[in-house]
Amino acid sequence: MTTEDTGSRLALGLLLLALVLAPVVGAATVSAGSTAPPSPPAAYYGQVLVDGEPAPAGVELVAVVDGEVRGTITTDENGTYGGSESFDEKLEVSGNSSEDAGATVSFRVAGASADTTVAWESGDHREVDVSLSDSGAPTAALGSDREAAAGETLAFDGSNSTDDTAIARYEWSVDGQTKTGESAAFTFEEAGEYEVSLTVTDLAGRTDTATATVTVGDGGGAGGGGAGGGGQGGDEQEGTVKIANWSVTPTSPEPGEEITMTVTVVNTADDTREITPALYVDGELIEGKRISVLSGTERSVQFTYVFEEAGTHTLSPDTLDVRTIQVGGETTTTDPGTTATTTDPGTTDRPTTTAGSDTSTSTTRPPIQETGGGLELWQIGMIAVLAAAAAVAALLVRWA
């Protein structure tokens, strides 16, 4: 083989190598540029003040940017939320530094709009005291008198209670039993007359109490389990907030294994609405979560529960759509009606404040997904580059 032939083949091999590497290197470069880290959120802490006084503990504070819920937190004692120390919880408000820098962050306290606003900046950590006014007293409402049979469980709903700003707390009492939350369920074991009372407290600490009488017979009472006192009645109003769907995981839990019930709520109304998804286990109200849903958006809340023993149990987010779950077996649906799309009881669609963390998220801005443990595209591209280079090098050696 002549020197000229060898040079021609080397040149041809180098050209081939360049053609192979060019698209691979380009793809790797684009991929590496598309995995830029997300913008750090703004983080706030401070105090919620109502007419200059601290808000009650357990009140939800929501941060909104451009109509989207970007973060939530719950007040502690003396109306404080979060803390100034590095590891203290804060109200984290997500955003994109290239799109949201300088955008207005507004706040909602128990669903009521606050007077305070701030400008969003990525990585901003500072104290923000949130203020609003509440000039009028609340009005409690739990519905009319009821009848039940001995041993029957009745659910009560206080969503028709009103206030000029927002209701911060619902307290129920019947025959020595007390519960909190916008809705509550009580079992009446023996015949007789019982007085059910509901006391509501607004953000300024003002209260009002309403009562209803439950007449319990020995059997065959008129009953009315479900969400009593505050049902809307009639056809569903056009544009409202309602439960769109819900699911349970795992579907076949073992005794002692924690389940998670996820409830998705949609608001088709023209304004912000409030609703109370809940967790009912075997007809008993375990927990309710009060959330605000912006117009045209969805939010999801999660509830957790542990069944200690094997057996068949029922789950429901509203006492209307009821499903059975076999602990140690498969989940089946026993509700023979339509799919689970139910409206929040009461025309005011007012939700509940209940102990427990709210994991709600706004679907208008999905949470940032963490990368998995596999190889990224640019890494795969570099492996391909090395493999191609090795193949061409082998050809060059052979031709030489």
Side-chain angles (χ1 to χ4, degrees):
M1 180 181 298
T2 67
T3 302
E4 183 178 351
D5 291 338
T6 301
S8 298
R9 293 185 179 185
L10 285 173
L12 179 61
L14 291 173
L15 177 60
L16 177 61
L17 177 61
L19 293 175
V20 170
L21 297 184
V24 178
V25 172
T29 302
V30 172
S31 176
S34 65
T35 57
S39 303
Y44 309 130
Y45 62 93
Q47 191 175 29
V48 177
L49 301 172
V50 182
D51 296 330
E53 298 296 326
V59 174
E60 183 186 48
L61 175 62
V62 176
V64 179
V65 179
D66 292 335
E68 299 179 8
V69 174
R70 300 286 184 88
T72 62
I73 198 172
T74 302
T75 59
D76 297 320
E77 296 296 331
N78 298 319
T80 60
Y81 71 95
S84 59
E85 299 297 328
S86 299
F87 294 101
D88 289 340
E89 182 185 18
K90 293 176 176 62
L91 174 56
E92 293 191 350
V93 183
S94 61
N96 187 303
S97 58
S98 63
E99 299 175 359
D100 298 320
T104 299
V105 181
S106 59
F107 300 93
R108 295 184 181 275
V109 181
S113 297
D115 301 325
T116 305
T117 61
V118 296
W120 188 90
E121 296 294 341
S122 177
D124 185 18
H125 287 198
R126 59 168 156 149
E127 182 176 4
V128 177
D129 289 338
V130 179
S131 300
L132 72 162
S133 300
D134 187 354
S135 58
T139 300
L142 56 76
S144 58
D145 295 342
R146 310 274 292 279
E147 294 183 356
E152 186 173 359
T153 298
L154 297 184
F156 298 88
D157 171 45
S159 65
N160 274 343
S161 302
T162 60
D163 184 68
D164 66 324
T165 301
I167 293 177
R169 184 175 177 83
Y170 299 78
E171 297 177 274
W172 299 85
S173 176
V174 55
D175 196 31
Q177 301 179 65
T178 59
K179 295 185 178 182
T180 60
E182 185 188 55
S183 57
F186 296 95
T187 300
F188 300 87
E189 300 291 355
E190 300 179 357
E193 286 193 353
Y194 299 84
E195 182 181 82
V196 180
S197 69
L198 168 63
T199 299
V200 295
T201 306
D202 68 7
L203 292 171
R206 304 179 186 92
T207 63
D208 185 52
T209 300
T211 61
T213 300
V214 175
T215 302
V216 180
D218 291 328
Q232 296 185 122
D235 296 334
E236 179 183 328
Q237 58 180 323
E238 180 179 356
T240 188
V241 61
K242 59 187 179 181
I243 295 175
N245 57 71
W246 62 284
S247 61
V248 179
T249 56
T251 57
S252 301
E254 297 297 327
E257 182 179 5
E258 182 179 82
I259 65 165
T260 299
M261 185 172 81
T262 302
V263 183
T264 300
V265 175
V266 62
N267 182 8
T268 58
D270 294 332
D271 56 354
T272 298
R273 296 291 178 90
E274 299 171 352
I275 190 172
T276 309
L279 170 63
Y280 288 87
V281 177
D282 297 331
E284 179 182 358
L285 177 64
I286 303 301
E287 182 181 5
K289 292 183 179 179
R290 174 185 186 176
I291 59 173
S292 300
V293 187
L294 298 177
S295 174
T297 67
E298 293 181 354
R299 288 188 69 183
S300 295
V301 293
Q302 291 184 336
F303 303 90
T304 58
Y305 190 79
V306 175
F307 292 100
E308 298 296 344
E309 299 180 357
T312 302
H313 302 272
T314 62
L315 295 172
S316 176
D318 55 10
T319 74
L320 301 178
D321 180 19
V322 181
R323 304 177 190 176
T324 61
I325 184 170
Q326 181 67 41
V327 179
E330 297 181 353
T331 302
T332 59
T333 301
T334 57
D335 184 26
T338 59
T339 57
T341 302
T342 58
T343 58
D344 188 51
T347 56
T348 59
D349 295 313
R350 189 176 296 275
T352 185
T353 303
T354 310
S357 61
D358 186 357
T359 58
S360 59
T361 58
S362 173
T363 58
T364 57
R365 178 175 289 267
I368 298 171
Q369 299 294 325
E370 296 182 357
T371 57
L375 293 174
E376 295 186 6
L377 182 58
W378 71 270
Q379 293 173 316
I380 297 174
M382 293 306 298
I383 293 174
V385 168
L386 295 175
V392 173
L395 287 174
L396 292 176
V397 171
R398 185 174 179 181
W399 288 347

